[in-house]
Amino acid sequence: MKKIICLLLIVLPATLFNSCDEFLEENPVDRYVVSNVYTDESGAIASVTSIYNQLYNLYERYMYMVFDLPVDDEKNGQGMPNQYLQNFEYMRYTPNNTFVRNFWRYCYSGIFRANNALEQIPEIEMDETLKTRLMNEAKFLRALYFFNLVRAFGDVPLPIGTSVEETITARIPLSEVYAQIISDLNDAKALPKSYSGSNVGRATSGAASVLLGYIYVTMKDWNAAVTELSAVVNNESSFGYGLWDDLKDNYRIATENGKECVFNVQFAETPSNGNGDMALSGPKYTLQADYGIIAIPGINGCNEADIPCEELYSQYDVEDQRKYIIFSKEFVSPLNGQTYYTQIPVYHSHWEDGETVAGNSDANTFVLRYSDALMLYAEALCESGDPAAAYTHLQRVRNRAYKNDPKGILEGEKTQENVRAWVRQERWQEFAHEGKRWFDLVRWDILKERMTEHAHNEVAIGGYESHKKLEIIANFKDAMNLMPIPQAELDANQLLVQNPGW
């Protein structure tokens, strides 16, 4: 799948881009117009491939910008003058933020594509086993898009068809949205456990179960989360899951789809989609002071736009291998073989060694890794009253980070309070720059507390523009536990209402 996905264009719901009046000028007026009516097996496959394609827009950068930048995970580097992103970092964003708006639109575009596939595929004469698989893939992807929306905005519209009446709606209560997500994922658990050849990268039964466990953790339905995640963790070999001994194997092209991959977005250079995060995170200005250059010889296109917060980087012990794999301060030129050192750490998880055009990185982006399943399971066990069992799974992730060095063993009583704190700390360090941090802080109900601490800590540690971080405290408002409904969507759909406080 990594090498064969190509963009299939579907005309998107007009309510996401235009006014209702403009939409109603389309013909026919009772259904969104799509550029392809799928009538055979190849068309059915194409319709589902188009749903996967929308993940590129979200997971190449938007998940980091919208859900890591406003918190204590990352900040704007010298290569990022965009005012909308500056507003994220200092908690000045509004309903007019273009990145919030596009996040909403990309998610609903994916949902529309899934709905279109689910409407058309049942009418196609084709192999029934493949038909069922494709429909369950569409349901998995629709659930993922809805999950991203509902935890960002709360109550959201719940279109499950492509007609006007089904799409231009008011916000639906959270419980109903989650019920649809759960229904879709329960169906998706019938997917294959694995694929081969060009199908590698498609949604699996294990991915559906882990995502469903994530849903239950987010809902704080701890018993359901334990049941769902235990079915995977206690049978990991049957799913082909496990942890690499070397964390770097998650980010090597040859092994990124291996045993720790639950679900990721498949990037590859032209004619597919290169992972532009290598360009956005790659070193530029930090080279200038020592070398007088703003590019590693032989590598074009690095911008140093998205950089780690100093406080985040300071959390890693020198024995923790994550410090040298998620981040890097040294880069080898493919032109002259020389190693160049940066003054600050930059994100390195989407870096492809030997690539000469930063925007063409083949590195995949993880939506779910197996360490996420273990950490979610540990959290659910802890909150359901079994912190000792939770510690076992938490320590397994720590052991890998420290290469089984005794320095990595957590010390202290395995009380619920301690294990809860350990799980939260490890999620921060394990999933840096994976678009999860804002969601974690919100569901733990500690966003304001953590961001107040972060502002003071960044100033104390110092670093690029850290002195400005106290602005966060002045700008923070309780409404920021939800993202604002984009103003453009409120203007286009008069049935929508804004989240309180925005």
Side-chain angles (χ1 to χ4, degrees):
M1 188 176 182
K2 186 180 182 75
K3 301 301 182 186
I4 67 168
I5 286 182
C6 58
L7 187 61
L8 298 167
L9 298 179
I10 293 181
V11 177
L12 305 181
T15 186
L16 304 183
F17 292 91
N18 306 301
S19 71
C20 293
D21 291 340
E22 290 172 324
F23 170 76
L24 292 173
E25 292 173 1
E26 297 291 333
N27 184 30
V29 296
D30 67 334
R31 185 168 295 273
Y32 293 108
V33 178
V34 295
S35 60
N36 293 298
V37 176
Y38 303 108
T39 59
D40 58 17
E41 184 173 293
S42 63
I45 295 171
S47 71
V48 174
T49 299
S50 75
I51 315 170
Y52 284 98
N53 271 301
Q54 193 60 21
L55 294 172
Y56 289 135
N57 287 321
L58 284 178
Y59 286 92
E60 185 172 13
R61 196 177 185 217
Y62 269 76
M63 295 302 289
Y64 315 134
M65 292 298 90
V66 183
F67 303 110
D68 284 342
L69 183 56
V71 285
D72 52 2
D73 200 272
E74 65 183 60
K75 61 198 292 185
N76 293 292
Q78 291 186 62
M80 182 38 63
N82 187 294
Q83 188 59 54
Y84 290 114
L85 296 179
Q86 295 288 336
N87 289 343
F88 266 140
E89 182 178 350
Y90 297 104
M91 295 292 189
R92 298 189 297 250
Y93 56 93
T94 71
N96 289 307
N97 188 286
T98 187
F99 290 88
V100 176
R101 179 195 67 201
N102 287 342
F103 170 77
W104 171 286
R105 292 179 175 182
Y106 290 148
C107 286
Y108 274 113
S109 171
I111 289 165
F112 178 78
R113 295 176 186 208
N115 290 341
N116 181 58
L118 289 167
E119 286 181 348
Q120 294 200 40
I121 291 174
E123 305 304 318
I124 297 173
E125 291 187 10
M126 57 181 292
D127 178 82
E128 289 298 320
T129 300
L130 177 59
K131 177 187 287 190
T132 300
R133 193 201 84 191
L134 291 172
M135 292 181 66
N136 285 333
E137 287 181 66
K139 289 179 181 181
F140 171 87
L141 294 167
R142 181 169 68 179
L144 176 61
Y145 288 120
F146 271 129
F147 183 44
N148 283 337
L149 283 165
V150 76
R151 54 191 178 142
F153 300 104
D155 299 347
V156 292
L158 182 62
I160 54 173
T162 60
S163 69
V164 176
E165 293 78 10
E166 291 171 297
T167 306
I168 303 177
T169 69
R171 299 171 68 180
I172 303 301
L174 205 63
S175 60
E176 294 182 34
V177 183
Y178 272 125
Q180 181 62 52
I181 292 170
I182 292 167
S183 175
D184 279 349
L185 290 175
N186 276 321
D187 287 347
K189 286 196 293 184
L191 285 165
K193 287 186 176 180
S194 63
Y195 299 90
S196 60
S198 62
N199 285 320
V200 169
R202 293 185 178 274
T204 63
S205 58
S209 287
V210 173
L211 183 56
L212 184 52
Y214 200 170
I215 272 64
Y216 287 134
V217 167
T218 302
M219 296 173 68
K220 296 182 171 59
D221 188 340
W222 304 118
N223 290 333
V226 167
T227 299
E228 195 64 44
L229 291 165
S230 67
V232 176
V233 174
N234 294 334
N235 299 282
E236 64 179 39
S237 61
S238 71
F239 289 93
Y241 293 150
L243 296 182
W244 293 114
D245 293 334
D246 183 355
L247 179 70
K248 181 67 175 176
D249 282 339
N250 283 307
Y251 311 110
R252 292 187 172 102
I253 306 305
T255 49
E256 61 186 352
N257 285 317
K259 63 182 178 179
E260 197 164 336
C261 174
V262 175
F263 186 68
N264 61 15
V265 181
Q266 305 284 307
F267 285 94
E269 58 186 273
T270 306
S272 186
N273 244 74
N275 194 337
D277 189 55
M278 176 176 170
L280 292 159
S281 298
K284 185 175 183 179
Y285 302 100
T286 190
L287 298 164
Q288 200 165 18
D290 291 335
Y291 303 101
I293 57 175
I294 57 172
I296 297 169
I299 302 177
N300 298 318
C302 291
N303 292 307
E304 201 176 306
D306 310 331
I307 63 176
C309 291
E310 280 80 2
E311 185 192 16
L312 168 63
Y313 189 69
S314 73
Q315 302 300 304
Y316 295 85
D317 189 275
V318 294
E319 304 294 333
D320 188 340
Q321 68 165 317
R322 294 174 296 196
K323 186 171 187 175
Y324 312 103
I325 294 172
I326 297 174
F327 316 91
S328 185
K329 287 185 175 182
E330 55 185 77
F331 300 84
V332 177
S333 165
L335 184 66
N336 59 29
Q338 180 180 338
T339 299
Y340 291 81
Y341 298 89
T342 59
Q343 295 180 322
I344 64 170
V346 297
Y347 284 116
H348 193 250
S349 50
H350 298 134
W351 188 271
E352 182 185 357
D353 292 331
E355 177 57 68
T356 59
V357 179
N360 286 344
S361 172
D362 279 7
N364 291 344
T365 292
F366 283 99
V367 178
L368 292 167
R369 289 193 280 127
Y370 188 58
S371 58
D372 210 351
L374 293 172
M375 297 288 284
L376 290 166
Y377 188 36
E379 183 174 347
L381 285 167
C382 180
E383 298 302 334
S384 63
D386 195 352
Y391 174 85
T392 301
H393 302 287
L394 168 65
Q395 189 58 57
R396 185 177 171 190
V397 177
R398 289 273 300 186
N399 287 343
R400 191 266 297 279
Y402 284 79
K403 297 184 177 180
N404 290 306
D405 191 298
K407 293 179 182 178
I409 297 176
L410 290 162
E411 297 181 358
E413 295 294 320
K414 298 175 182 60
T415 63
Q416 186 180 55
E417 182 179 6
N418 282 345
V419 173
R420 178 185 294 130
W422 294 338
V423 166
R424 292 179 178 185
Q425 180 67 24
E426 285 306 302
R427 280 193 65 83
W428 189 19
Q429 294 180 231
E430 180 73 14
F431 304 117
H433 198 52
E434 293 194 20
K436 294 182 169 70
R437 184 60 173 167
W438 183 87
F439 294 120
D440 282 348
L441 295 178
V442 167
R443 67 187 174 82
W444 294 331
D445 299 318
I446 60 170
L447 179 62
K448 182 176 183 178
E449 171 191 342
R450 175 80 275 272
M451 291 311 295
T452 300
E453 294 173 348
H454 170 64
H456 287 296
N457 290 343
E458 281 283 291
V459 172
I461 295 169
Y464 178 65
E465 296 199 334
S466 293
H467 63 283
K468 296 182 178 181
K469 286 291 188 175
L470 291 180
E471 290 183 32
I472 291 171
I473 299 172
N475 294 333
F476 189 90
K477 51 188 178 183
D478 291 338
M480 289 176 172
N481 283 289
L482 288 174
M483 288 290 166
I485 304 297
Q487 187 60 48
E489 301 306 318
L490 293 171
D491 294 341
N493 180 357
Q494 299 301 311
L495 297 175
L496 293 178
V497 295
Q498 184 58 272
N499 278 321
W502 287 103

